[in-house]
Amino acid sequence: MRKVLLLACIICLALAATAQKKKKILVPYLKGDLWGYSDTTGKIIIKPQFQEAGFFKEDNNMYYAQGKINDKDVLITEDGKFIEDEFTDGGISMMSMFEEGSRIFFTEEKSDPNIKGYVYDKQKNSIVLSDKYGTCYSFFNDRKGMFVQEKSSQLIGAIDPAGNVLIPFQYEHSIETYGPRNEYIRTKKGGLFGIIDLKGQDVLPFKYSSLDPISHDGTHLLGNTGGGYQVIDIHGTMLFPDLVFNAKYANGMICCRRAGYYGYLDTNGNIAIPFKYRVAAEFGESPAEGDFAYVTNKEGVSFFISKSGREFYSK
């Protein structure tokens, strides 16, 4: 028992000591069949010797990576030392993980059948609705209009405080506003996504099974037409001339397939990393982190790349 406690103390001291130093950015580097670590330029810092190697992480003032050597799970310090990890349940998972985004709604405070539209109480930051309307989504035009759901039809439109309809109740999905002045609205009609303006006029046809912003102001979009993905601006202009497939956006890059191989586009539709990989994941997707992605080349070898296209792999 005393030996176990002593070993635990040595592990904690070794890992805590590395956390006190200035942390290097170390990238898992595959050389042949073994993993080591390099800096961001590809210079080897920790020699390849591990069967598996994950990214370094900070946890409780400890800076370490998880790996495997001689079929044993180990904790790796940034100076290349490692100790057996007796506390993990298994090796490092190379499976991708997906996150589902969340939506924020205004909630109804109370109902009053005598109120035609809504009353917004700035002091309480609350909204009073009539029995005619349900969920509130967002204000627009300096709070002179609000997107709401009509209880009878369950459809979404927009009204002013007096209950006058500003945008007809014909939309089926929660409202997302885009553009430098939030002048464009992404919503859903007939089961498909499109874009309207604040007058309810169509800006982008309702023909996309998914339509997601890829620029800060939401004026560049990734739209799924059912037959493939388009990289477009808010008016439907193609930023990349061809359809792409299996497209996913993350961390400023679009991972997608074209002519049978995966590559990456930037948010302006330019090819950032050529289409040359058999399999590829989004940047930051597990087992990668941050500005790195996990890919598999034409020979079936899997390794990490950076946003500049640098491959952390050599034969």
Side-chain angles (χ1 to χ4, degrees), residues 132-262:
K132 185 175 181 179
Y133 302 116
T135 303
C136 303
Y137 289 94
S138 61
F139 289 106
F140 62 92
N141 193 20
D142 295 326
R143 300 183 182 274
K144 295 176 182 176
M146 175 184 280
F147 292 103
V148 296
Q149 185 180 55
E150 187 179 47
K151 288 183 177 179
S152 60
S153 67
Q154 297 295 298
L155 296 176
I156 298 165
I159 57 174
D160 65 13
N164 299 309
V165 176
L166 302 176
I167 296 176
F169 289 85
Q170 56 182 339
Y171 303 104
E172 306 159 359
H173 195 269
S174 61
I175 299 295
E176 299 285 347
T177 56
Y178 301 146
R181 297 178 301 279
N182 292 321
E183 67 270 39
Y184 301 113
I185 303 104
R186 185 198 70 170
T187 185
K188 200 172 186 180
K189 182 171 66 173
L192 297 172
F193 287 96
I195 303 286
I196 60 174
D197 61 21
L198 294 178
K199 295 181 179 179
Q201 301 296 313
D202 286 1
V203 175
L204 189 63
F206 286 81
K207 65 176 185 177
Y208 299 95
S209 58
S210 66
L211 187 63
D212 301 304
I214 57 174
S215 62
H216 178 69
D217 61 4
T219 56
H220 290 183
L221 302 144
L222 181 64
N224 186 352
T225 64
Y229 287 81
Q230 294 178 346
V231 183
I232 54 176
D233 69 11
I234 201 82
H235 297 288
T237 302
M238 297 279 284
L239 301 177
F240 185 71
D242 301 328
L243 285 176
V244 293
F245 304 89
N246 303 105
K248 294 179 181 178
Y249 170 76
N251 291 329
M253 301 280 270
I254 304 163
C255 175
C256 54
R257 181 172 55 85
R258 179 193 185 210
Y261 289 99
Y262 284 85

Side-chain angles (χ1 to χ4, degrees), residues 96-102 248-249 282 284-285:
S96 295
M97 298 170 65
F98 296 89
E99 255 181 44
E100 184 177 348
S102 59
K248 294 179 181 178
Y249 170 76
E282 306 99 289
E285 183 75 11

Side-chain angles (χ1 to χ4, degrees), residues 18-32:
T18 63
Q20 300 302 317
K21 303 174 185 177
K22 185 177 180 180
K23 299 175 181 61
K24 306 169 187 174
I25 298 178
L26 295 176
V27 186
Y29 189 102
L30 181 64
K31 185 173 178 63

Side-chain angles (χ1 to χ4, degrees), residues 106-120 126-137 139 146-151 159-161:
F106 287 89
T107 55
E108 183 176 353
E109 186 180 68
K110 62 180 180 179
S111 292
D112 185 341
N114 297 316
I115 301 175
K116 292 182 179 180
Y118 62 87
V119 174
Y120 177 65
S126 63
I127 302 159
V128 179
L129 291 174
S130 73
D131 284 340
K132 185 175 181 179
Y133 302 116
T135 303
C136 303
Y137 289 94
F139 289 106
M146 175 184 280
F147 292 103
V148 296
Q149 185 180 55
E150 187 179 47
K151 288 183 177 179
I159 57 174
D160 65 13

Side-chain angles (χ1 to χ4, degrees), residues 29-72:
Y29 189 102
L30 181 64
K31 185 173 178 63
D33 295 325
L34 295 175
W35 291 88
Y37 290 87
S38 76
D39 62 17
T40 55
T41 70
K43 178 183 176 182
I44 299 293
I45 304 298
I46 299 175
K47 71 175 183 178
Q49 57 193 300
F50 303 101
Q51 292 167 277
E52 295 184 9
F55 278 81
F56 275 79
K57 58 185 176 182
E58 188 173 8
D59 185 20
N60 293 325
N61 293 321
M62 297 185 294
Y63 191 56
Y64 65 96
Q66 292 177 277
K68 180 177 284 189
I69 189 169
N70 298 325
D71 294 323
K72 293 182 179 180

